[in-house]
Amino acid sequence: MATIISIAGHQGGAGKSSTTMNLGISLARRGHRVLLVDTDPLGAVAAAAGLPAGTQAGLVQIMKGCAPNQAIIESSLALPLALLGNGVKQPTDAFFLEQQARKGGLLPLIRSLAEDYDYVLLDTPSGIEAMSAMAFAASHTLLLVLPCHANAVRTLPGLLRLMVRVRKKLNPELHLLGILASHFDKQNPYEIDTLAAMRTTFTQGLFFSTIMPRSHQFERAAAHASAIQLLGQTREMNHLYDQLAEEVINRLTAGQSAGNNHAQPERLF
Amino acid sequence: MPNLKDSFEITECHALLQELLPPGGLADYLTFEVPQPTERSTLAGEQSLFPAPFADPAAGPARPTAEHLGHQTVPTQTAPLPLEQGHTEEKLENALKILCQRGGFSSAIIADDQGLALADFNSPVETDVLAAFATVLGGAIAQASHFLDQHEANNISMDINYADKAVVRKFMISSTPFYLFIICPQDIDERNEVELSLETISRLLER
Ligand SMILES: Nc1ncnc2c1ncn2[C@@H]1O[C@H](COP(=O)(O)OP(=O)(O)O)[C@@H](O)[C@H]1O
Ligand SMILES: [Mg+2]
C-alpha cells in the first residue's frame, strides 16, 4: 500500500498544486509509482498537467458509480505517474464532493486506490473544508506548504487546528512530515525575517532543508499548461524538487519504525 | 501589533505543530541537518535607510563612522562562506578600507547572493540592511539579460540624493554571484578603483 501524503496549506496560491505536481514527477523519476489526486474542486493539478480542467472524469464520476476507477485515472506515457482528477464540471459536482467528504465517503476510495502505488499525493483545497479534512483523514502524513509571509503565519493556526482535530478524532497516525517554505524571495528582507522567525520558533527540523524560491518559470509553465519540471531551462528547479523528493523519502523511512496502520475513521461532522 | 517573532500566533503555531509531530518526535538527524536560519531580526523598521549622513551635500564625502551610528562594524557571524573567520574577513575589510580611501568613497560592503554581508567599511546603516539592498540592486542587474538581452551587464548606479550615488558591481566567484556595494560622490568616476579592488577581493574570497 502506498504512503498517502496530503499536500496542505491554508492559503490559495501557496504552491500546493505546484508542489503536488512536481514532487510527483520527481518521485516518479526515481522509479516510484505515483498517483496524484486532485481533491481541490478547482482542479489545478489537472490543469497543470495539460488536461483541460472541468472536462475530465474523476472523483465525482467514480463516486457516482458512472465509471470504473481504472478508466478514469490518466497515466503518464513517460513516467510511472498517474493522475486522478476531481471530475467537477458543474458547481453541483463540487457540492456533491463536499457532501461525500462530510460523510467520509471518499476515504475508502482513496485507500483502495493506494493499493497500486508507492506514493499517493493528495492536492488539497485551500482553506478549512470538509474536503481537506477528508484528505487529511485518508493520509498517513502531511506536507505543509507555506509562503514566507507574516500573514500566512498569523492565519496558520486555523489550519493546524483542523489537522490536530483530524488526528484526534479520525486518524491518530496522522503527523506532519515537514514544512516547505515556498515562493521564497531571497531579495525581500521581510521574507527573510519571517522565515527566520519561523525557523527559530518552531521545533528544529520541521522545515525541509529545500526551500522553493520564487521563480518566473512557474508562470511560464502555467502559460504552457505544463509542470515547471517538464519545461526546458529549469535545471535549478528540477534539482530542488529532486532534493525535496529525497528529503521526503528520507523522512518517511526514518519514521517507518513508528508503523503506519490506520484505525477506521469515524465521522468528523 | 507585536512583531511576528513575538506574536501569540507564532507561539500558537509552535504549540499546534508539536501536537502534529510523529509519535517518537522528529528523527534525531533532522534536528541537526537543517541549515541555520539566516538571522536578520534587526531590520531597519521605522528607521529610514539613509538618515543623517547624507543630509548635507555640501559637506562632501566625509561620513560619520559606523561606530558613531552605534552599529557593529563586523556583524558577519552568519556569513555562509568557509572563510577563515577573522583572518580573511579582516583582509576583506582592509581591502574595502583601502578602496574607500583611494577612491574617495564613503562606504563599501561586500554581500553574497543571499543578502548577507561578508565585510563592510563604514556602512551608514545596519550592514545587513545594506547587504540586502545590494542584493536587490543585484537582482536588477540580472534583469538586464532578460529585458535588454544584455548578458554582460555587471553594475548599476543610482543617485541617492543630490550629492551621492550608490553603485553595485556584481562579480562571480566559481559561478556564484557576489556584490560590491559602494557609496561615493556623484561626480567621481569610481569604475577604475572598483575594478582594481575587485581583483584583490576576488582573490580573498576564492580561498
Ligand atoms: N515558487 C514559486 N514561484 C513563483 N510562482 C509560483 C511558485 N510556486 C507556485 N507558483 C505559481 O503561483 C500560483 C499558485 O500556485 P499553486 O501551486 O496553484 O498554489 P495553490 O495550489 O496552493 O493554490 C500558480 O500560478 C503557480 O504557477
Ligand atoms: Mg491548488
Side-chain angles (χ1 to χ4, degrees), chain B residues 86-138:
Chain B
H87 207 54
T88 310
E89 195 177 290
E90 258 169 45
K91 286 182 181 171
L92 277 175
E93 302 210 328
N94 204 33
L96 293 182
K97 185 175 168 191
I98 295 171
L99 167 70
C100 288
Q101 284 169 348
R102 281 202 314 223
F105 308 161
S106 47
S107 311
I109 82 160
I110 300 169
D112 71 4
D113 199 32
Q114 310 287 327
L116 290 172
L118 304 182
D120 89 311
F121 176 72
N122 206 21
S123 172
V125 296
E126 286 275 4
T127 314
D128 273 0
V129 173
L130 217 53
F133 187 45
T135 323
V136 171
L137 292 176

Side-chain angles (χ1 to χ4, degrees), chain A residues 58 67 78 91 94 106 183 219 238:
Chain A
L106 284 161
H183 277 257
E219 198 46 43
N238 297 3

Side-chain angles (χ1 to χ4, degrees), chain A residues 150 153-154 156-157 160-161 163-164 167-168 175-176 179 186-187 189-190 192-194 196-207 209 216 250-251 254 258, chain B residues 1-5 7 9-10 12-14 16-23 26-27 29-31 34-41 43 113-114 135-136 139 143:
Chain A
V153 185
R154 292 191 194 271
L156 179 61
L160 296 179
R161 274 186 228 115
M163 291 171 168
V164 168
R167 174 167 168 154
K168 282 196 179 131
H175 66 270
L176 187 63
I179 305 177
K186 65 185 175 191
Q187 296 193 3
Y190 300 102
I192 297 177
D193 218 29
T194 299
M198 288 192 285
R199 292 217 288 194
T200 44
T201 310
F202 299 168
T203 307
Q204 214 190 348
L206 264 186
F207 277 90
S209 302
H216 301 305
N250 283 348
R251 287 184 180 217
Chain B
M1 207 180 244
N3 248 328
L4 180 65
K5 203 165 166 30
S7 65
E9 291 99 335
I10 202 167
E12 187 179 11
C13 284
H14 173 58
L16 288 163
L17 285 166
Q18 287 209 295
E19 289 194 55
L20 290 166
L21 291 182
L26 285 172
Y29 74 92
L30 287 180
T31 57
V34 173
Q36 284 307 300
T38 44
E39 283 285 9
R40 190 188 294 281
S41 44
L43 278 174
D113 199 32
Q114 310 287 327
T135 323
V136 171
Q143 298 294 340

